[in-house]
Amino acid sequence: MFWFRHSNMTLGKALLVGALSLFIYVFYCEAKVFGTTCTSSNEKTVCTLENMVCESGACACKAGYNGDETCSKIIGGNCKTSNTCPGDANAVCQSGKCACKAGHEEKESVCTKIIGVNCKTGNTCPGDANAECKNGKCACKAGHMEKDSVCTKVIGGNCNAGSTCPGDANAVCTSGKCVCKLGYEEKDSVCTKTVAGVSCSSDKTACGSIENAACDTNTNKCKCNPDYTMHFVKCEPKNSATMMEICTISLMLSVLTTCLIVLI
């Protein structure tokens, strides 16, 4: 108080000057940090904002942080649904928050493409249910292909007439859709060889390894014997499913009958 009593400045004026000085520092001095010339040797003393680095000779926000002179983290930050999330081309606005778009995951605050990223064999590749770790890299599972950074199922996908269906060597383009070629059927999203896909043109005994199958001399392909139906590479009795249903119904009736007898 001694200083204020012996000067022409009142306490109110001193507070006003202090507030004005702080305003100038925050909105001018600190703001000037963004874009300030720097070098790798003086980065820490010149680029003083958190998450700021010296890039191409000027202070800038590091990857994954907004270049709005505050260097705030992009992922998880607020946004408007119709707007993008500037600062990360692979981030989108979801439910008012910036998040990585499909086929990407957050890694060191940046939305990183999943396919091709390093991984440990046996681990999953989070962010894409149809990706898996192969030879230390995330790749699409069998029966899937990368499309717009996302592993997409091949069978049923759109294609151009005459083109191939990459991702499944046994799929072909028919009427603008990828389907399994003759002699193959879809199993676990992959075109799997069936009995009808086994050739016996050069070896008539080729069907011998398939129980209840024989070589059809008209097509030179294996074919299930009468009363058997094809189930991928097996020939199963046509009535097997029916017999199972009958057994199930019989068991239910037996249990029901037993319960009625007990109640009576």
Side-chain angles (χ1 to χ4, degrees):
M1 295 298 291
F2 175 80
W3 183 79
F4 291 114
R5 285 199 303 268
H6 290 80
S7 69
N8 294 324
M9 183 178 288
T10 64
L11 178 60
K13 288 181 179 179
L15 292 173
L16 180 61
V17 170
L20 182 60
S21 299
L22 182 61
F23 176 86
I24 292 172
Y25 174 78
V26 172
F27 290 93
Y28 178 76
C29 298
E30 191 170 87
K32 283 296 181 180
V33 173
F34 193 84
T36 300
T37 302
C38 61
T39 63
S40 57
S41 60
N42 67 4
E43 178 183 82
K44 291 184 179 179
T45 56
V46 177
C47 306
T48 54
L49 288 182
E50 189 178 359
N51 299 314
M52 182 171 272
V53 293
C54 186
E55 189 175 280
S56 302
C59 291
C61 298
K62 65 183 182 181
Y65 293 83
N66 230 330
D68 58 359
E69 298 181 357
T70 62
C71 290
S72 54
K73 187 178 177 181
I74 297 170
I75 304 304
N78 295 328
C79 59
K80 292 183 179 180
T81 306
S82 57
N83 292 353
T84 56
C85 295
D88 195 325
N90 295 313
V92 291
C93 191
Q94 296 177 351
S95 304
K97 295 286 184 181
C98 286
C100 294
K101 63 183 181 182
H104 297 76
E105 65 172 338
E106 184 183 347
K107 190 174 183 180
E108 297 179 356
S109 302
V110 179
C111 290
T112 307
K113 183 179 172 182
I114 295 169
I115 303 305
V117 75
N118 293 332
C119 59
K120 291 184 179 180
T121 305
N123 290 1
T124 57
C125 295
D128 195 325
N130 295 314
E132 61 183 359
C133 192
K134 294 179 180 178
N135 301 319
K137 297 284 184 180
C138 283
C140 292
K141 292 179 180 178
H144 296 79
M145 61 178 286
E146 183 185 346
K147 187 176 181 181
D148 297 329
S149 301
V150 180
C151 291
T152 307
K153 185 179 175 182
V154 175
I155 305 304
N158 295 327
C159 57
N160 296 320
S163 66
T164 58
C165 294
D168 195 323
N170 297 310
V172 292
C173 188
T174 304
S175 302
K177 294 287 184 182
C178 286
V179 297
C180 292
K181 65 183 182 183
L182 190 65
Y184 290 78
E185 290 183 7
E186 183 185 348
K187 183 180 181 183
D188 297 330
S189 301
V190 180
C191 289
T192 306
K193 183 180 283 189
T194 64
V195 174
V198 179
S199 175
C200 54
S201 56
S202 57
D203 183 5
K204 300 302 179 182
T205 63
C207 306
S209 59
I210 305 173
E211 192 174 355
N212 300 309
C215 183
D216 187 338
T217 55
N218 294 320
T219 62
N220 287 322
K221 297 286 185 180
C222 293
K223 182 180 180 181
C224 291
N225 295 332
D227 298 326
Y228 288 86
T229 185
M230 182 176 66
H231 184 69
F232 296 107
V233 289
K234 291 182 179 180
C235 291
E236 298 180 348
K238 287 183 178 180
N239 60 352
S240 60
T242 305
M243 287 300 296
M244 187 176 293
E245 291 175 2
I246 292 172
C247 291
T248 302
I249 294 171
S250 298
L251 179 60
M252 291 175 65
L253 288 173
S254 176
V255 172
L256 182 60
T257 304
T258 303
C259 291
L260 288 172
I261 292 172
V262 171
L263 288 173
I264 294 173

